[in-house]
Amino acid sequence: MDVLHAIQSRRSIRRFKADPLAQESIEAILDAARLAPSGKNRQPWRFVVVRGDEREKMSVCLQEGLRHSKEKGYPTGSAENTFRIMREAPVTVFIFSPSDTAPWEEQSIGERIGRIVDIQSIGGAIENMLLRAQE
């Protein structure tokens, strides 16, 4: 599959088969993410793969976080639908930026620019994952 075809044919899926995903496929997708360019080669991403019995624990944690957010009056948008979709997927990959700060914390201009660069780098890693999965 050429790159343009992968870009044109890639779709966001919100209904999943229960079929397990092979470990080799997961590793290939994560390896594609690792190869993404990143500002100053910081590679500001960490991946957590959740599958099998851990999916139920993930679901409980997400629901608890949603409940907590609602109690605090934070807008939750379409989070409940997102959690439903994630529960159905045989594998979920969480992508974290461990050096990131909360958006409400005070930041210098340099820190803010670094955060934006890291977010863009993570976006590139996600796109690599999507294209490799499409392939």
Side-chain angles (χ1 to χ4, degrees):
M1 174 179 299
D2 68 34
V3 174
L4 182 58
H5 184 264
I7 292 168
Q8 291 172 331
S9 60
R10 192 208 66 75
R11 299 287 179 265
S12 294
I13 306 300
R14 291 177 180 83
R15 294 199 173 140
F16 303 97
K17 297 176 183 176
D19 302 348
L21 193 60
Q23 180 66 25
E24 297 80 27
S25 296
I26 295 169
E27 289 175 9
I29 291 167
L30 292 174
D31 196 46
R34 182 188 60 77
L35 295 172
S38 65
K40 301 196 183 289
N41 197 30
R42 286 171 42 95
Q43 300 175 24
W45 45 68
R46 297 296 176 270
F47 306 99
V48 175
V49 178
V50 180
R51 61 185 175 170
D53 295 338
E54 295 297 311
R55 289 172 47 237
E56 183 58 32
K57 292 178 188 176
M58 171 195 75
S59 181
V60 169
C61 288
L62 293 174
Q63 290 298 328
E64 180 62 24
L66 180 63
R67 186 187 61 74
H68 181 70
S69 293
K70 285 180 175 179
E71 286 174 358
K72 293 225 175 225
Y74 298 144
T76 57
S78 62
E80 289 184 44
N81 189 47
T82 299
F83 295 163
R84 180 193 57 75
I85 292 166
M86 291 169 68
R87 253 193 322 273
E88 293 174 3
V91 176
T92 300
V93 178
F94 288 93
I95 305 164
F96 296 95
S97 178
S99 62
D100 201 2
T101 58
W104 55 84
E105 290 182 15
E106 197 166 317
Q107 299 173 338
S108 69
I109 295 295
E111 290 169 330
R112 190 170 301 171
I113 290 170
R115 183 173 190 261
I116 291 168
V117 170
D118 286 353
I119 290 168
Q120 291 172 334
S121 298
I122 290 169
I126 292 168
E127 184 67 14
N128 278 13
M129 292 172 69
L130 294 171
L131 293 173
R132 184 62 194 256
Q134 176 64 16
E135 178 187 51

